[in-house]
């Protein structure tokens, strides 16, 4: 069991030294700016504005750590792929992500959120490779399901799968942060993961 009402914002990290260094599993969420990463985290927790929705893209080069029921961290990785970001901010993003992925025993399950309407971008592909290279369990959340027709679903999921070069064992979960579709499936994966770690 995981009490989703017991949620605590721990800190906003800008460097390795800020990352929590206890033994709790860390479930990380990554995605392009505006893909609905904050909305997805809020939907999973059934909170309205816990992770900040509509954060100004490019102004969020920090990693937010939330502790859930003293059992697991949700790790909100900084969004990427916003065109108007300065070179300096882009470099900061790269460095912070490098540090996060390099720190030992941190990440134990990775979620990448993509937009179910579109072919994943080059940045999405890079992000997926990053997760896959860790060898940790990895799941893709295909968000904004409410914005496509049913007839588009299978084709779009296939495009996501092939573009991100996903191995068969990586699930792609159709999701709508807006409507709550897919929430139970994602929560089940999270619970299973916590029990195993
Ligand atoms: P972030 O930048 O990835 O954290 O994205 P946000 O959570 O701030 O969401 C960006 C925009 O997409 C907001 O206007 C959300 O209301 C909208 N949005 C997020 N998820 C969904 C969804 O599942 N369906 C629809 N229709 N809109 C969504």
């Amino acid at each position: 069991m995981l009490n989703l009402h017991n949620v605590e914002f721990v800190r906003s990290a800008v460097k390795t030294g800020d990352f929590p260094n206890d033994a709790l599993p860390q479930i990380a969420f990554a995605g392009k700016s505006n893909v609905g990463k904050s909305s997805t985290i809020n939907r999973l927790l059934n909170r309205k504005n816990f992770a900040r929705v509509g954060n100004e893209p490019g102004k969020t080069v920090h990693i937010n750590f939330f502790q859930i029921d003293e059992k697991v961290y949700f790790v909100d990785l900084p969004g990427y792929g916003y065109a108007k970001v300065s070179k300096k901010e882009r470099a900061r993003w790269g460095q912070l992500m490098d540090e996060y992925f390099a720190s030992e025993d941190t990440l134990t399950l990775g979620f990448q959120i993509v937009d179910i309407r579109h072919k994943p971008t080059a940045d999405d592909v890079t992000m997926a490779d990053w997760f896959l290279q860790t060898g940790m369990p990895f799941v893709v959340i295909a968000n904004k399901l409410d914005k496509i027709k049913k007839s588009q679903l299978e084709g779009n999921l296939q495009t996501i799968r092939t573009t991100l070069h996903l191995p068969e064992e990586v699930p792609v979960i159709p999701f709508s942060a807006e409507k709550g579709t897919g929430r139970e499936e994602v929560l089940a994966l999270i619970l299973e993961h916590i029990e195993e770690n």
Side-chain angles (χ1 to χ4, degrees):
M1 274 298 288
L2 189 66
N3 179 5
L4 293 173
H5 299 291
N6 184 4
V7 205
E8 191 190 343
F9 172 74
V10 178
R11 73 176 74 88
S12 204
V14 296
K15 57 180 191 306
T16 310
D18 301 335
F19 303 160
N21 59 358
D22 53 41
L24 293 188
Q26 295 192 11
I27 300 182
F29 296 85
K32 197 171 73 141
S33 296
N34 232 27
V35 73
K37 181 162 53 64
S38 316
S39 304
T40 296
I41 293 171
N42 287 329
R43 170 58 73 183
L44 292 174
L45 299 174
N46 268 340
R47 294 279 185 115
K48 266 246 137 55
N49 225 350
F50 199 67
R52 279 258 321 281
V53 174
N55 255 331
E56 202 176 328
K59 301 278 184 211
T60 52
V61 187
H62 46 234
I63 300 179
N64 288 324
F65 290 89
F66 306 101
Q67 203 184 76
I68 321 293
D69 202 19
E70 292 163 28
K71 290 194 177 95
V72 63
Y73 288 105
F74 277 14
V75 183
D76 184 5
L77 297 171
Y80 53 80
Y82 185 65
K84 288 179 190 156
V85 159
S86 68
K87 253 195 177 142
K88 201 172 142 200
E89 287 299 290
R90 216 181 295 267
R92 264 170 51 77
W93 184 92
Q95 171 158 10
L96 187 61
M97 292 291 272
D98 268 340
E99 287 177 14
Y100 182 71
F101 278 87
S103 48
E104 277 176 47
D105 301 326
T106 48
L107 179 66
T108 62
L109 169 64
F111 282 107
Q112 183 176 0
I113 301 153
V114 297
D115 191 321
I116 200 163
R117 295 173 294 177
H118 309 302
K119 184 178 173 187
T121 64
D123 288 330
D124 286 329
V125 176
T126 304
M127 190 69 240
D129 283 342
W130 224 330
F131 275 119
L132 289 167
Q133 277 167 23
T134 66
M136 290 294 178
F138 176 49
V139 176
V140 173
I141 293 178
N143 190 36
K144 307 203 181 182
L145 176 64
D146 57 287
K147 293 222 179 197
I148 62 165
K149 298 197 196 92
K150 258 210 176 95
S151 59
Q152 298 174 289
L153 180 61
E154 281 316 313
N156 289 19
L157 290 177
Q158 200 48 52
T159 301
I160 290 168
R161 211 166 242 303
T162 45
T163 310
L164 297 179
H165 317 294
L166 298 180
E168 222 172 285
E169 69 271 15
V170 174
V172 180
I173 302 179
F175 192 89
S176 168
E178 175 112 345
K179 307 275 183 212
T181 329
R183 177 176 182 266
E184 293 306 320
E185 203 176 332
V186 172
L187 286 178
L189 286 173
I190 289 173
L191 270 181
E192 193 182 310
H193 178 72
I194 294 169
E195 277 158 21
E196 284 167 5
N197 282 271

